[in-house]
Structure formats: C-alpha cells, structure tokens
Amino acid sequence: MFPYGIHLILYGLLGGCASESPPTPSPVPPAHAWPQDPTLLAQTCADQVFPELAITCRVQGAATTAARGEFAAAEAFCAAIDDPLWNEECHFRAGESAALTADLGEAIGHCARAGRFSRNCLTHAVWALPRSAAEPGPEALTAIGEAAAAARATLAADPGVAGEGHDLVLAALGRKVLFGSGHPDPERARDPGPAGAALRTGLALELVRLAPELDLPGLLAIWNQERAFPQGAPLIGHLPPGRYAPPIPQADAAGLPHLPLFGGGFRIIAADPSVDFEVAALEALWWAESPHLTPALTQAEAATSLAKEIRLTHEKLRMTR
Amino acid sequence: MRGPRRPGEIPVAVVGLWVAACTPEDPPQHLADCPGSPVEAREDCRLLLLEPAVRSGDISTLDKLLGQIPETESRDLALLRLAIRQPERASLLCSRIREPLSAEKCTQVAGRPHLGSRKRGE
C-alpha cells in the first residue's frame, strides 16, 4: 500500500510520539516550609511550578514581611498575585499584619485594596493596633480625628467602607487613650464630640479593669467626682479582649449616633457626656462580665425617666447578657 | 495535475496520519491514564480529574479517586492545590492531608473562612 517502505517510517514516527510514558513515575518533590528570609522567600515563590503554591507562598510572604515592617516587600508579594480573590486576601493579610507594627496608615492602605474583604480587614487591623508607651493623651483628640479623616480618604473608593473605616479608627484610637493607661481620670474624657465618646468607652473599660468590684453607682460616682478613680500599672501591647460585642442591629436604635466596639458591635452615643458615660459604663460591665451588670439592669426596669440612649442600651444588654 | 512523486517524498496522507497519531488525545478520563512524567503534567492531570468531585461536593467519589493515587505526596499536593482553587471546600480537603507541612499550608486557607464566602452580588 505504501511504496518506498514508507510504512516502516510511519511506524518509527508513531513510536516516537511524545505521549509515551516512561516506566517509572517521577516522584513529587517533598513539601518544604516557606523560608523566613524575604529575599529567599520571594525566590521560592517565583520558583514554584504549580501556580496555586506560588499564590499561598506569596500571601504568606506578604503577611510575614508586613508584620516585620518590611512594607515594600509585602507590596511586591501581593502585586505578583493576579488571581483577584487571592490578591484581595493578600492585602487583607498584609493589612492585619501591618497593624501589629502599629502602622495604621500602612494597614489601612492594604485594607483599601482588600476588595470584598475590606471591612474584615479594617476590623481586624484597627482593633489589633497595640497600645504603645507613647500613647497620645486626650489632648490628642485632634490627632485622632485627623487619623480617622485620613482613613476615610484612603478608603474613599467605597463610600460605605470609608465611613466605617473612619468610625473604627476613631473608636479604636480613642479607646486606647485611657484603656490600659492605668490612670482613668474622668476629666480627660469630657469632650462632647465623637472622639470624646471613644475616650469614655476606654475610661469605663479601664475603671472596670482596675477595679472589678465597681458597680454602676460606683462608676457614676467616679464620673461625678464624688469618688477617687483607681490607678494601676499601664498596659503596653495588646489590650485584653474581654467579651466580644456581637454585631446585632437594634431596630429601635436605627438612626442614633453610634460607635463601633471591639468584636464588631456598636454602642449608642449620647450627646450629653454624662448620659454617654452611663451608656459606656453599662457596656463596660457587660464587657467584663461583671456580676454588677444584672442588678444595674434589674433596678433600671422600674425607672421611668431614663434617657433614651440608656434605655435602649439596657434593652440590648438584657438580650445578650 | 500533480507530477510523479519524487523518491523519498512522504505522501500527504501519511503525514496526516502521523499528525493525527501524535496530536494530544482527548483529556484522560481516568487517573490511570495520566502520564507518569513529567511530574507537572501528571499532577495537573490528576488535579483536573479530582476537581469535578470537589466542585460538586461528591465526597465519596473524591475519596475513591484519592484512593487510586498511590503516592501520599501526590495526594497531599492535589488536596492543597484544590483547597486554594476552591477555598469553600478547604476544611474538607485539608482534613485529608497527611503530611504535616502540607497540612499546615492548607490551614492557611481553611483558617480563613471568609475566602469561601461569595462576593457581594455574586
């Protein structure tokens, strides 16, 4: 059929097709831990044969380097990930890690690029900011307001996230002025603005932390300068987490000014600093799981002249105590 | 009209047969059909055959297929890669990894449950 012995050539060619398998399978290279050195790690990620492993390598690289303050390296790791989901996760991890170095601007810069995870990133990053020995005093209300405004500007691409970022920064920075200070002087928390409310959250938490025996009347007596405030050693680094405030929307409180709390929940803000401190004090008793919370709520049930903000706080805490 | 074939000239039909024979066939349908080497091709082939079972949540088929992969390292690699490709199934996949280092890497995915949540509007 095939002249010139071409069938022999054909068999030879067919025999030489590349799809033939060798008799012994090649082993899979054993798994290795990612190196710690950022240069070595970058090279290791680039050398990965399988794209999925390169992704997880780079995410790990971004988190590790951001936690060390090596922000340019973290940027490079995330920039090398094309997959949209994992690029956003990379910025999420870098944002969380950057917060551990107390670099709020860097953390928010990453959260702004975390896409679908921006809100999670902000919550994790802002509440993870450590308390430093050089924490600004309450006179730094302006600085706190500026930091919140800067966060809003960085997050401007998504207006909803930008507003949330602003409030989170205000709440978290304001809270740690007095929470962990060892010196919860109520005179430092009488500003009527929203940053003042954040300071009152911290004031109430610090009072309860330093003096767990305080009940609501005791806390109010300190606010009213009828009793000396307790003092203790300041906390540096991570603040005690306490009880997480659940992010449960409260229908009756819709439209009222509110402030984010650690864990994702909110507390109502009252315009009157004294009313607002009582709200903060009740929330602090809840946070500390104080035995004094239930009596405070029970006694208040009979009261008819409570401010709306206090009444709504009672209702919320009764549901979650 | 074509002129006479010169000695040594390969007929067009023969070349066509050779090309057809050497053109990659349909993708393998069974793990046993995956090439033995190079390692990247074999692992990609196994991954693609496992992926539909993971995507559809057909765990018994997944376990059956995994049982057909003789090398622990290859199974672990496929599970880790699948967890990264389908984070919503990461817990299920990571729990099947045996080698500690791969399991730890997989935990970096399974420990981030938001990765499996859908984007707003999806």
Side-chain angles (χ1 to χ4, degrees), chain A residues 184-237:
Chain A
D185 181 354
E187 289 311 299
R188 300 167 71 185
R190 297 201 189 271
D191 185 274
L199 261 67
R200 284 187 284 282
T201 295
L203 169 69
L205 293 176
E206 186 66 350
L207 288 170
V208 169
R209 180 183 79 85
L210 292 174
E213 71 281 5
L214 280 171
D215 57 9
L216 185 64
L219 290 164
L220 296 178
I222 290 170
W223 173 261
N224 293 325
Q225 296 179 298
E226 297 158 3
R227 181 172 173 171
F229 59 85
Q231 298 190 50
L235 295 178
I236 303 301

Side-chain angles (χ1 to χ4, degrees), chain A:
Chain A
M1 185 186 293
F2 296 113
Y4 313 117
I6 197 68
H7 57 286
L8 295 176
I9 299 170
L10 180 63
Y11 291 145
L13 287 169
L14 290 173
C17 287
S19 61
E20 285 293 305
S21 304
T24 48
S26 310
V28 174
H32 292 288
W34 304 129
Q36 292 294 308
D37 175 77
T39 309
L40 259 179
L41 182 59
Q43 190 55 53
T44 301
C45 297
D47 290 344
Q48 292 301 307
V49 172
F50 302 109
E52 297 86 1
L53 299 194
I55 285 173
T56 190
C57 178
R58 289 181 171 126
V59 171
Q60 187 63 35
T64 306
T65 49
R68 290 190 204 142
E70 297 163 6
F71 300 125
E75 285 287 348
F77 278 116
C78 290
I81 299 175
D82 294 327
D83 181 281
L85 175 82
W86 285 98
N87 182 273
E88 291 172 1
E89 167 69 357
C90 186
H91 284 297
F92 183 0
R93 291 282 304 275
E96 289 175 310
S97 299
L100 301 175
T101 69
D103 194 322
L104 180 62
E106 194 69 36
I108 290 179
H110 279 290
C111 291
R113 285 172 289 158
R116 72 198 80 182
F117 308 132
S118 282
R119 282 189 159 85
N120 311 48
C121 179
L122 281 171
T123 303
H124 289 204
V126 168
W127 292 116
L129 286 169
R131 193 173 192 284
S132 72
E135 206 60 39
E139 70 282 3
L141 282 175
T142 308
I144 294 169
E146 285 171 359
R152 189 197 293 274
T154 305
L155 298 161
D158 185 335
V161 174
E164 195 169 318
H166 171 275
D167 292 354
L168 277 168
V169 168
L170 199 72
L173 295 190
R175 184 182 81 140
K176 67 193 177 92
V177 169
L178 291 173
F179 184 31
S181 68
H183 193 83
D185 181 354
E187 289 311 299
R188 300 167 71 185
R190 297 201 189 271
D191 185 274
L199 261 67
R200 284 187 284 282
T201 295
L203 169 69
L205 293 176
E206 186 66 350
L207 288 170
V208 169
R209 180 183 79 85
L210 292 174
E213 71 281 5
L214 280 171
D215 57 9
L216 185 64
L219 290 164
L220 296 178
I222 290 170
W223 173 261
N224 293 325
Q225 296 179 298
E226 297 158 3
R227 181 172 173 171
F229 59 85
Q231 298 190 50
L235 295 178
I236 303 301
H238 295 293
L239 293 164
R243 198 173 179 187
Y244 284 32
I248 302 170
Q250 197 178 359
D252 292 346
L256 289 179
H258 57 267
L259 193 70
L261 295 173
F262 180 79
F266 298 91
R267 82 163 177 85
I268 298 168
I269 299 176
D272 177 342
S274 292
V275 174
D276 191 58
F277 177 73
E278 187 163 343
V279 171
L282 287 163
E283 294 276 4
L285 291 172
W286 181 90
W287 170 85
E289 299 186 67
S290 167
H292 301 301
L293 176 65
T294 298
L297 298 179
T298 309
Q299 287 157 19
E301 278 183 76
T304 54
S305 59
L306 289 175
K308 182 182 182 185
E309 293 86 353
I310 296 174
R311 183 171 50 76
L312 288 171
T313 303
H314 283 162
E315 286 173 13
K316 181 184 85 168
L317 298 179
R318 273 195 203 106
M319 284 191 291
T320 53
R321 69 182 143 149

